[in-house]
Amino acid sequence: MTHVLSSPTTLICVWWLFCVLCHTQQQPPPHDLSDCTHIQLRNANLHPALNNIYERTSETFNDMPVFRSVSGDTPRYLWWNRYDEFSRWSLGTQKFSNSIEAFVDNQVHEAWLLGPGRGWHVVNQQQWTVDHDMNALCSGNINTNTNTNTQQQ
């Protein structure tokens, strides 16, 4: 007597269902951006054009928020990507592209971005170089009124 689960077709169907369920229940990794609406990238000494305020967009990529620069001639995007052995915040003018201007890496299941000492890598003279001073700060919070134009009476 043959078991139902031993047929190749049944095993493929079970594997497919498992993959679909795992993918749809995927949670974002631990990160420090839950309430952050704006990120300020600062102290980029090797690539000063990266110093900017990046606003959270309505988009997500790999279950994480996407940010867009608020000033400058060419918009830049900041997004998170998961790889087999690590994860990476990438910064570039072509959203979700492999052609980027800067990045900061994390452990495979982490997405930390804020604060000093993250080890931002930037393109400098056509080589990846660590810019030790470059860092990111949360400069706007979802739960805080960040409108500074209102006058109190």
Side-chain angles (χ1 to χ4, degrees):
M1 178 175 226
T2 306
H3 295 305
V4 174
L5 288 178
S6 65
S7 78
T9 304
T10 304
L11 288 175
I12 290 171
C13 290
V14 169
W15 175 81
W16 179 83
L17 182 59
F18 175 77
C19 290
V20 168
L21 289 174
C22 288
H23 181 70
T24 58
Q25 295 177 359
Q26 193 172 34
Q27 297 295 317
H31 61 90
D32 45 11
L33 301 173
S34 295
D35 295 330
C36 196
T37 59
H38 292 80
I39 293 172
Q40 179 184 6
L41 286 183
R42 59 188 198 152
N43 301 329
N45 298 320
L46 300 174
H47 197 340
L50 303 178
N51 293 322
N52 207 326
I53 301 291
Y54 294 80
E55 184 176 42
R56 188 180 202 143
T57 68
S58 60
E59 288 182 271
T60 60
F61 188 73
N62 291 316
D63 300 317
M64 292 295 293
V66 175
F67 294 84
R68 182 183 189 270
S69 60
V70 297
S71 63
D73 293 337
T74 304
R76 287 183 167 84
Y77 298 91
L78 182 64
W79 68 94
W80 182 81
N81 213 347
R82 180 182 300 131
Y83 297 94
D84 290 339
E85 302 294 323
F86 64 96
S87 69
R88 172 174 288 170
W89 282 100
S90 297
L91 180 65
T93 57
Q94 297 176 20
K95 191 172 26 173
F96 315 138
S97 170
N98 288 330
S99 177
I100 59 177
E101 298 173 279
F103 69 87
V104 63
D105 285 343
N106 281 277
Q107 299 295 320
V108 68
H109 297 294
E110 297 176 347
W112 308 114
L113 178 66
L114 305 177
R118 291 272 169 223
W120 279 91
H121 292 73
V122 299
V123 174
N124 184 40
Q125 298 179 5
Q126 299 180 345
Q127 293 183 29
W128 288 114
T129 306
V130 176
D131 190 336
H132 296 286
D133 295 329
M134 186 174 171
N135 65 76
L137 298 174
C138 179
S139 61
N141 193 297
I142 291 171
N143 298 322
T144 307
N145 181 4
T146 57
N147 183 356
T148 58
N149 296 324
T150 58
Q151 295 181 0
Q152 294 182 353
Q153 298 181 7

